[in-house]
Amino acid sequence: MSPHGSGNARPLALVVLAAGKGTRLTATEDTPPKVLVECLGVPLIEHLRRAVSRLGPTRTAVVTGHKAEIVDAWLGEHWPEATPVLQQPQLGTGHALQLAMAAIPDFEGDVVVVYGDVPQLSPSDLELLLRRHRELAADATVLTGITDDPHALGRILRYEDGRFCRIVEAKDAADRPEILAIKEFNSGIYAFDARTLRPAIAALTSDNAQGELYATDAVRHIADAGNRVALVVAQHPDALRGVNDWAELADAYGLLRRRIAADHMSRGVTIVDPDTTVIEADVQIEAGARILPFTYIERGCKIGRGAEVGPYARLRGKAVLEAGAQIGNFVEVKNSHIGPGAKAKHLTYLGDASVGDGANVGCGVITANYDGKNKHKTEIGPRASIGSGTVLVAPVKVGDGGTTGANAVVTAGKDVPPGATVVGVPARVLGETREPKAASDTEEAAG
Amino acid sequence: MSPHGSGNARPLALVVLAAGKGTRLTATEDTPPKVLVECLGVPLIEHLRRAVSRLGPTRTAVVTGHKAEIVDAWLGEHWPEATPVLQQPQLGTGHALQLAMAAIPDFEGDVVVVYGDVPQLSPSDLELLLRRHRELAADATVLTGITDDPHALGRILRYEDGRFCRIVEAKDAADRPEILAIKEFNSGIYAFDARTLRPAIAALTSDNAQGELYATDAVRHIADAGNRVALVVAQHPDALRGVNDWAELADAYGLLRRRIAADHMSRGVTIVDPDTTVIEADVQIEAGARILPFTYIERGCKIGRGAEVGPYARLRGKAVLEAGAQIGNFVEVKNSHIGPGAKAKHLTYLGDASVGDGANVGCGVITANYDGKNKHKTEIGPRASIGSGTVLVAPVKVGDGGTTGANAVVTAGKDVPPGATVVGVPARVLGETREPKAASDTEEAAG
Amino acid sequence: MSPHGSGNARPLALVVLAAGKGTRLTATEDTPPKVLVECLGVPLIEHLRRAVSRLGPTRTAVVTGHKAEIVDAWLGEHWPEATPVLQQPQLGTGHALQLAMAAIPDFEGDVVVVYGDVPQLSPSDLELLLRRHRELAADATVLTGITDDPHALGRILRYEDGRFCRIVEAKDAADRPEILAIKEFNSGIYAFDARTLRPAIAALTSDNAQGELYATDAVRHIADAGNRVALVVAQHPDALRGVNDWAELADAYGLLRRRIAADHMSRGVTIVDPDTTVIEADVQIEAGARILPFTYIERGCKIGRGAEVGPYARLRGKAVLEAGAQIGNFVEVKNSHIGPGAKAKHLTYLGDASVGDGANVGCGVITANYDGKNKHKTEIGPRASIGSGTVLVAPVKVGDGGTTGANAVVTAGKDVPPGATVVGVPARVLGETREPKAASDTEEAAG
């Protein structure tokens, strides 16, 4: 009978290794620790947190080291169920594993070991690892990948019948081309039975050139002791690599960008050309919205049903587009609320603004939201019509149905009354000045 | 002697299956039927129509079903030589094939069966299918593809000598990994000899879980009857997949986008970076034109010899650039005619406008073409110089050699006389006002 | 003992074949010869020059033919150590090799033969070729590539033990599918021992359909004479193809674009999304700078530490950003100097301008640098604040700490005094006019 027979009810502990400094990602002293470097709007470890959370762990230990206080603070706010475990000094992955297991001394069940700097790890590969580990009742299971050239990664040696033989580090095989020719590599991501793992990590020694303890040696000990080591080949081998430099960060960015786009499309969002569209994490888009090419939507934006964004549109943090709103080319929207059916289709900047239902913001309109010291709000009422080239100097309001003329400058505090038309630099209400009427003809550009 | 010996003279019927609803592409009730969903400016079925038309069919039957009246109307307008065949209810691909063949009861020759939702189908693979079918004098020929993981697609079983054995649906092989491991899949695209096809589809039965008739069973009947079933492996297996959801539509978009760009380049057009350039269908570009990165050119635009477009330029429907015209960064052109050698190089919107020979449109120029109700025209004469930040409120004309000052607002109907200079908000002709001359120095931004 | 035992001290001659016309890249008579066609800001041959220069050649012969005087002039300026060798008429690659070797009659050592139209050639593959050629003490070494379908390229036939047998041109194997099925192709790039090469090229004959002399025949002669021909498989087979048409130029562009981005990232530059970023050759970016998506940086730009560029930013020739400068969305910068910490974040054109330390350029600002005849300079002083929609008509200066109002037009020569505020069209200094103060509140847009 399988020792793992209890299936999903069997407890699961996650160990996340997140102590690294990430020297090659650290341009200056004030840059964040590696796992808090941002990718598509959230830290690397947040992507990992989302992937592993699907496994439903009962315990989570995160091993921190470099700038541990900053990582611990992030964990406290964003991953409160995780137990931070300080690794100081950092003596290798085996050492980190020893500390993590010591932090959950009473834990019995499966232990999955992952890295905080593998943001693009596929949730389905993680689930595959754990499922196979349990189905096979393995003592240790290694998640492997197959690629044409694993370069510096450890190679997986199998016996002729396919069973695990051992892991050989690339640097230990420099003069053995037959080993280097092996295309199956060790991801460093494992599932263990806690009962087998504890004695295996207790037996680790640092008798190597670096004087460190390695998690791979724990796998070797388990195999040497005659326990069962299984292998699971990942379906997304590109998603197993750690992020150690800017190029690897860019690779992870590309994978996550495509995955985020695919998720939106699977829920009924049209993304016309995912290759030329960037959508960060934590963007809400309702089914039926259309995202045109060359669009960049940052974290925290919300887009309603039937809204259309792009091409060449940039939605920044907290931009909210209600149903049927349209944001067109060369338009930037930041921290603004765009009402149902409202439009801003060309060469416009809306910052700290609200645009009412059905309002039309012409071409080349600017909300001047910054006075050199503070940001101020612009309110554009429902059905208002903002003429092309208008600058709205915040704080300012355009009333319901109000209109501004082309190249008008509506100065701070000089609100446009509902239904009124203003023109000129600075803008004056028509009928209250001697300004000729010609410039007021609700001029605006439209597509 | 080959029964197909007559070569190209042998009649060809096309059967296009276009009855599907495309539930996953249908956001709301008023969305079009699946085959009329747009991709790069034209419906899916229009891409398919262009691919299959190269085969020179003598008869074409298009099986419609979901929203058939809309598809039929489109066919009447855009594919008049096609015979619409109503499939109501939709009882499977075999049923569709029965109806199509019943609609061309007198036809003798080859029958090629394709799908209306495979817009990216490679014309060369289609030609390969038909050519091999005829060369081999086959009764049925299956177009297959080879891919690492065909997922849910039917697998091709071959005898050891490579001959066709049968097609096994993936769902019928759930417990047969040796079948699922086969990398050759059935595209569902076939060539038949009409004489063999008719009895084969007459023998179809619906004794399956779905109660439907399947075209694959017709292939099986033909093989079982001892007739010759051939296999042709497509050179573009990625181009065989039907479009069933937004992600698959995006994949087809990517393939077609690259193919359109390659076609233009093969005719002498420079596309500096096809990876970051979107050119829709039905764009005319003459040899010697240059398209710079991050450019988006929509259906119906025309670009003359030596013209330069981009980077970050968007040409919308009916934009026409004559020889040597230049449209630069962050410029949108819609329904406008840009004369020979005319330029608009920065941050500009030209809508419903004409720009004369050699005119220079400065930076930040806006044609305010919409008065809230109607669109109006702007005419910029030859050799005119439009100052930076000018708003031209349509309808309006700038005469031959006319000039506008920076941030001028030329109001509707207040045409700029030939050779005159206007400045201010609203713009007045210099010399006719007390306006100081300073603003009039033909200011304009240029690269 | 190896005849090549002297290692790096052994002399190296480069032969660059650059005589081709490039008919399919030549739109008009005034286009440059093929090797001078630009790709990412520099000619094709300049990319090649950089790749081969790493080999440290002692002699370099460049064979020119089509528009030889133009290529020779370029060589004189950019590759002075190269000896131009005129090939007139052009009677094949073997003929070119004869002329090149005749131009260095006294040379003894290794000869590496490359093509001027292979800009994307990998420096590491070149080094691999030469290193293996020397290690193996070969008389001739062929750089080969492996690809699924080499199409029209010559195929490499090997003996069973892997040794070189011969090269078969695809056109000579039209009826031999077993040859066409070979996936290893001849790149046409070779290393030779000069002593073996000279008699081999002397023996070339033109008894073929084209009546030309072929370099591949020299390889054959060397093998037939019982000398040693080695094979080296390139690690970047995509980078071996010559550029013969616009599509191949675009492919080379894509490869070089990714390589340039990787080089910057390896030195500590953040490129958030290399897939949607274009950086040409000869751009200097300091570690710690951040390049956001949809950015296009042209040749000759310099970007300082901590600067941020994009998204949707275009930096043109000679744009210089000092440390901490920020250039944001829909902003074009040309031939301008942006001081430390200065910002221009939205919808702006800066041409022929200088922006002082810490200055803020608002949204929609335009430097009108062109008066229809000449370009003029704009100087924006330190800590100046340029209001949204301002047009600065060059030549003009804004003094230290000066401010412009929204939609102001600062006319040519009407400099803004230090600390002063100007408003209006045309702009006047506040306090010197009756203009109301409202428009002057240092309005500007900010992110």
Side-chain angles (χ1 to χ4, degrees):
Chain A
M1 182 191 159
S2 161
H4 297 183
S6 51
N8 283 339
R10 187 173 159 84
L12 171 67
L14 281 177
V15 173
V16 181
L17 306 187
K21 183 174 182 183
T23 309
R24 281 172 288 167
L25 279 169
T26 310
T28 61
E29 263 313 294
D30 57 342
T31 49
K34 181 162 80 165
V35 296
L36 294 186
V37 167
E38 285 212 351
C39 182
L40 286 155
V42 299
L44 296 181
I45 195 172
E46 170 64 13
H47 290 286
L48 189 274
R49 188 192 68 76
R50 296 177 187 195
V52 295
S53 294
R54 296 205 202 175
L55 298 179
T58 44
R59 301 293 300 271
T60 300
V62 179
V63 181
T64 63
H66 181 68
K67 292 191 178 179
E69 67 290 358
I70 299 175
V71 180
D72 290 356
W74 185 89
L75 291 170
E77 188 174 352
H78 298 280
W79 202 347
E81 61 273 32
T83 304
V85 178
L86 182 66
Q87 183 188 23
Q88 200 69 274
Q90 287 124 44
L91 301 175
T93 51
H95 177 228
L97 208 42
Q98 288 176 343
L99 295 170
M101 294 307 291
I104 50 171
D106 54 334
F107 179 77
E108 290 198 14
D110 296 313
V111 178
V112 165
V113 180
V114 295
Y115 296 84
D117 65 354
V118 186
Q120 78 281 29
L121 185 59
S122 158
S124 62
D125 275 336
L126 261 184
E127 287 165 354
L128 180 68
L129 168 69
L130 184 58
R131 188 173 71 244
R132 293 296 293 158
H133 174 71
R134 288 174 168 170
E135 287 171 356
L136 297 166
D139 291 290
T141 305
V142 181
L143 186 64
T144 73
I146 293 174
T147 188
D148 276 352
D149 184 1
H151 294 287
L153 297 170
R155 302 300 199 275
I156 300 291
L157 267 66
R158 291 172 179 257
Y159 290 111
E160 286 203 352
D161 62 2
R163 283 180 307 119
F164 176 79
C165 171
R166 63 200 162 93
I167 298 165
V168 181
E169 297 306 322
K171 66 174 183 294
D172 298 333
D175 57 351
R176 299 183 58 188
E178 78 281 8
I179 300 280
L180 291 178
I182 293 172
K183 298 186 175 184
E184 186 172 11
F185 65 86
N186 174 28
S187 71
I189 295 166
Y190 311 103
F192 293 104
D193 184 328
R195 284 178 302 183
T196 324
L197 178 61
R198 291 189 191 276
I201 55 177
L204 294 176
T205 59
S206 59
D207 51 353
N208 54 52
Q210 278 73 35
E212 295 194 346
L213 305 177
Y214 295 119
T216 48
D217 287 339
V219 177
R220 183 166 53 83
H221 289 325
I222 290 170
D224 288 351
N227 290 308
R228 181 164 196 180
V229 177
L231 296 167
V232 170
V233 181
Q235 295 192 308
H236 304 277
D238 290 344
L240 300 173
R241 308 288 183 95
V243 168
N244 292 302
D245 58 31
W246 297 110
E248 289 173 348
L249 181 61
D251 288 344
Y253 184 98
L255 278 169
L256 285 165
R257 176 159 80 85
R258 284 187 282 279
R259 197 183 298 159
I260 289 170
D263 283 349
H264 287 294
M265 290 191 286
S266 73
R267 291 181 303 95
V269 174
T270 302
I271 298 176
V272 169
D273 186 19
D275 288 348
T276 60
T277 303
V278 176
I279 301 175
E280 295 191 343
D282 294 332
V283 171
Q284 292 181 28
I285 313 180
E286 290 189 37
R290 278 171 57 83
I291 313 298
L292 299 175
F294 304 114
T295 291
Y296 186 12
I297 304 175
E298 298 183 25
R299 185 177 184 224
C301 294
K302 297 183 187 180
I303 299 171
R305 188 173 187 84
E308 187 171 290
V309 184
Y312 308 98
R314 181 188 186 192
L315 303 188
R316 298 170 62 190
K318 300 187 196 156
V320 176
L321 275 58
E322 299 291 348
Q326 295 183 31
I327 297 297
N329 44 206
F330 318 122
V331 177
E332 172 188 3
V333 181
K334 189 213 74 169
N335 188 31
S336 293
H337 181 273
I338 313 300
K343 299 178 185 177
K345 303 202 64 169
H346 333 249
L347 290 159
T348 281
Y349 171 55
L350 296 172
D352 305 310
S354 64
V355 180
D357 302 14
N360 188 79
V361 176
C363 178
V365 170
I366 298 169
T367 55
N369 56 327
Y370 180 55
D371 64 9
K373 294 177 190 153
N374 298 299
K375 306 273 176 75
H376 298 286
K377 288 205 157 289
T378 301
E379 294 178 43
I380 297 171
R383 288 162 298 283
S385 175
I386 309 301
S388 294
T390 294
V391 179
L392 300 168
V393 184
V396 75
K397 296 184 189 180
V398 177
D400 188 343
T403 296
T404 71
N407 278 357
V409 175
V410 184
T411 49
K414 299 282 184 182
D415 295 351
V416 178
T421 294
V422 302
V423 299
V425 181
R428 297 179 185 86
V429 176
L430 267 190
E432 300 181 8
T433 75
R434 295 180 180 184
E435 201 71 27
K437 179 145 189 334
S440 70
D441 291 335
T442 59
E443 57 271 32
E444 60 198 270
Chain B
M1 181 190 160
S2 160
H4 298 182
S6 51
N8 284 337
R10 186 172 159 86
L12 171 67
L14 280 176
V15 173
V16 181
L17 306 188
K21 183 173 182 183
T23 309
R24 281 172 289 167
L25 280 170
T26 311
T28 61
E29 262 314 293
D30 57 343
T31 49
K34 181 162 79 166
V35 295
L36 295 186
V37 166
E38 285 212 351
C39 183
L40 286 155
V42 300
L44 296 180
I45 196 172
E46 170 64 12
H47 290 285
L48 188 275
R49 187 191 69 75
R50 296 175 187 196
V52 297
S53 293
R54 296 205 201 175
L55 297 180
T58 44
R59 300 293 300 272
T60 299
V62 179
V63 181
T64 64
H66 179 68
K67 294 191 175 178
E69 68 289 359
I70 299 175
V71 180
D72 290 357
W74 185 89
L75 291 170
E77 187 173 355
H78 299 279
W79 203 347
E81 62 272 31
T83 304
V85 178
L86 183 66
Q87 183 188 23
Q88 202 66 272
Q90 287 123 45
L91 301 175
T93 51
H95 177 227
L97 208 41
Q98 287 177 341
L99 296 170
M101 294 307 292
I104 49 171
D106 55 334
F107 178 78
E108 290 198 13
D110 296 313
V111 179
V112 165
V113 180
V114 294
Y115 296 83
D117 66 353
V118 186
Q120 79 280 30
L121 185 59
S122 158
S124 62
D125 275 336
L126 260 183
E127 287 164 355
L128 181 68
L129 168 69
L130 184 57
R131 188 174 70 244
R132 293 296 293 158
H133 174 72
R134 287 173 170 171
E135 286 171 358
L136 297 167
D139 292 289
T141 305
V142 181
L143 185 64
T144 73
I146 293 175
T147 189
D148 275 352
D149 184 1
H151 293 287
L153 297 170
R155 302 300 198 278
I156 301 292
L157 267 65
R158 291 172 179 258
Y159 289 112
E160 286 201 354
D161 62 1
R163 284 180 306 118
F164 175 79
C165 171
R166 64 200 161 93
I167 298 165
V168 180
E169 297 305 323
K171 65 175 185 294
D172 298 333
D175 57 351
R176 298 184 59 188
E178 77 281 8
I179 300 279
L180 292 178
I182 293 171
K183 297 185 176 187
E184 186 173 11
F185 64 87
N186 174 28
S187 70
I189 295 166
Y190 310 103
F192 292 104
D193 184 329
R195 284 177 303 184
T196 324
L197 178 61
R198 291 189 191 278
I201 55 178
L204 294 175
T205 59
S206 58
D207 51 355
N208 53 52
Q210 277 73 35
E212 295 194 346
L213 305 178
Y214 295 120
T216 48
D217 287 339
V219 177
R220 183 166 55 82
H221 289 325
I222 290 169
D224 289 351
N227 291 309
R228 182 163 195 180
V229 177
L231 296 167
V232 170
V233 181
Q235 295 191 307
H236 303 277
D238 290 344
L240 300 173
R241 307 291 182 93
V243 167
N244 292 302
D245 57 31
W246 297 111
E248 289 172 350
L249 181 61
D251 289 344
Y253 183 99
L255 279 169
L256 286 165
R257 175 159 81 84
R258 283 187 282 279
R259 197 183 297 160
I260 289 170
D263 283 350
H264 286 295
M265 291 192 286
S266 73
R267 291 181 303 94
V269 174
T270 301
I271 298 176
V272 170
D273 186 20
D275 288 348
T276 61
T277 304
V278 176
I279 302 175
E280 294 190 344
D282 294 332
V283 170
Q284 291 180 27
I285 312 181
E286 290 189 37
R290 277 172 58 84
I291 313 298
L292 298 175
F294 303 115
T295 291
Y296 186 12
I297 304 175
E298 297 184 25
R299 183 176 188 226
C301 294
K302 298 183 187 180
I303 298 171
R305 189 173 186 82
E308 187 171 291
V309 185
Y312 308 98
R314 181 188 187 192
L315 303 188
R316 297 170 62 190
K318 299 187 198 156
V320 177
L321 274 58
E322 299 291 349
Q326 294 184 31
I327 296 297
N329 44 207
F330 318 122
V331 177
E332 172 188 3
V333 181
K334 189 212 75 169
N335 187 31
S336 292
H337 182 273
I338 313 300
K343 299 179 186 177
K345 301 203 62 168
H346 333 248
L347 291 159
T348 282
Y349 171 55
L350 296 171
D352 305 311
S354 64
V355 180
D357 302 15
N360 188 79
V361 176
C363 177
V365 170
I366 299 168
T367 54
N369 57 329
Y370 180 55
D371 64 7
K373 293 177 190 152
N374 298 301
K375 304 273 175 76
H376 299 285
K377 286 205 158 289
T378 300
E379 294 178 43
I380 297 172
R383 289 162 298 281
S385 175
I386 308 301
S388 294
T390 294
V391 179
L392 301 167
V393 184
V396 74
K397 296 184 189 180
V398 177
D400 189 341
T403 295
T404 71
N407 278 357
V409 175
V410 184
T411 49
K414 300 282 186 182
D415 295 350
V416 178
T421 293
V422 303
V423 298
V425 183
R428 297 177 184 88
V429 176
L430 266 191
E432 300 182 6
T433 74
R434 297 181 180 183
E435 200 71 27
K437 181 152 190 329
S440 69
D441 291 334
T442 58
E443 58 271 31
E444 59 198 270
Chain C
M1 183 188 159
S2 160
H4 298 183
S6 51
N8 283 339
R10 187 173 158 84
L12 172 66
L14 281 176
V15 173
V16 182
L17 306 187
K21 182 173 182 183
T23 309
R24 280 171 289 166
L25 280 169
T26 310
T28 61
E29 261 314 292
D30 57 345
T31 50
K34 181 162 80 165
V35 295
L36 294 185
V37 166
E38 284 213 351
C39 182
L40 285 154
V42 298
L44 296 181
I45 195 172
E46 170 64 13
H47 289 286
L48 189 273
R49 187 192 68 76
R50 295 176 187 196
V52 297
S53 294
R54 296 204 201 176
L55 298 179
T58 45
R59 300 294 300 271
T60 299
V62 179
V63 181
T64 63
H66 180 69
K67 294 192 174 177
E69 68 289 357
I70 299 176
V71 180
D72 290 357
W74 186 90
L75 291 170
E77 187 173 354
H78 299 279
W79 202 349
E81 63 271 32
T83 304
V85 179
L86 182 66
Q87 184 189 21
Q88 201 67 273
Q90 288 123 43
L91 301 175
T93 51
H95 176 229
L97 207 42
Q98 287 176 342
L99 296 170
M101 293 306 291
I104 49 172
D106 54 335
F107 178 80
E108 291 198 12
D110 296 312
V111 178
V112 166
V113 181
V114 295
Y115 295 84
D117 66 353
V118 185
Q120 78 281 31
L121 184 60
S122 159
S124 62
D125 275 337
L126 261 183
E127 288 164 354
L128 181 68
L129 168 69
L130 183 58
R131 189 174 69 243
R132 294 295 293 157
H133 175 70
R134 288 175 168 170
E135 287 171 357
L136 297 167
D139 290 290
T141 305
V142 181
L143 186 63
T144 72
I146 294 174
T147 187
D148 275 353
D149 185 1
H151 294 288
L153 297 169
R155 302 301 199 277
I156 301 292
L157 267 66
R158 290 173 178 256
Y159 290 112
E160 286 203 354
D161 62 2
R163 283 181 306 120
F164 175 79
C165 171
R166 62 198 162 94
I167 298 165
V168 180
E169 298 305 322
K171 65 176 185 294
D172 298 332
D175 57 351
R176 299 184 58 188
E178 79 281 8
I179 300 278
L180 292 177
I182 293 172
K183 297 186 175 184
E184 186 172 12
F185 64 87
N186 174 27
S187 71
I189 295 167
Y190 311 103
F192 293 103
D193 184 329
R195 285 178 301 184
T196 325
L197 178 60
R198 290 190 192 276
I201 55 178
L204 293 176
T205 58
S206 58
D207 52 353
N208 53 52
Q210 276 73 36
E212 295 195 345
L213 305 177
Y214 295 119
T216 48
D217 287 339
V219 177
R220 183 164 55 82
H221 289 326
I222 290 169
D224 289 352
N227 291 308
R228 182 164 193 179
V229 176
L231 295 167
V232 170
V233 181
Q235 294 191 308
H236 304 276
D238 290 345
L240 300 173
R241 308 290 183 94
V243 167
N244 292 301
D245 57 31
W246 297 110
E248 289 173 348
L249 181 61
D251 288 344
Y253 184 99
L255 278 170
L256 285 165
R257 176 159 80 84
R258 283 187 283 278
R259 197 183 297 161
I260 289 170
D263 283 349
H264 286 295
M265 291 192 285
S266 74
R267 292 180 302 94
V269 174
T270 302
I271 299 176
V272 170
D273 187 20
D275 289 348
T276 60
T277 303
V278 176
I279 301 175
E280 293 190 344
D282 294 332
V283 171
Q284 292 180 27
I285 313 180
E286 290 189 36
R290 279 171 57 83
I291 313 299
L292 299 175
F294 303 115
T295 291
Y296 185 12
I297 304 175
E298 297 183 26
R299 187 179 183 222
C301 294
K302 297 183 187 179
I303 298 171
R305 189 172 185 84
E308 187 172 290
V309 185
Y312 308 98
R314 181 189 188 193
L315 303 188
R316 297 169 63 190
K318 299 187 196 156
V320 176
L321 275 58
E322 300 290 349
Q326 295 184 30
I327 296 298
N329 44 208
F330 317 122
V331 176
E332 171 188 5
V333 180
K334 189 212 75 169
N335 187 31
S336 293
H337 181 274
I338 313 300
K343 300 179 185 178
K345 303 203 62 169
H346 332 249
L347 290 160
T348 282
Y349 171 54
L350 296 172
D352 305 311
S354 64
V355 180
D357 302 14
N360 188 80
V361 177
C363 177
V365 170
I366 299 168
T367 54
N369 57 328
Y370 180 55
D371 64 8
K373 293 177 190 152
N374 298 299
K375 303 272 174 78
H376 299 286
K377 286 205 159 290
T378 300
E379 295 178 42
I380 297 171
R383 288 163 298 282
S385 175
I386 309 301
S388 294
T390 293
V391 179
L392 300 168
V393 184
V396 75
K397 295 184 190 179
V398 177
D400 188 340
T403 295
T404 71
N407 278 358
V409 175
V410 183
T411 49
K414 299 282 185 183
D415 295 350
V416 178
T421 294
V422 303
V423 299
V425 182
R428 297 176 185 88
V429 176
L430 265 191
E432 299 180 8
T433 73
R434 296 182 180 182
E435 200 70 28
K437 179 146 190 334
S440 71
D441 290 334
T442 60
E443 57 270 34
E444 58 199 272

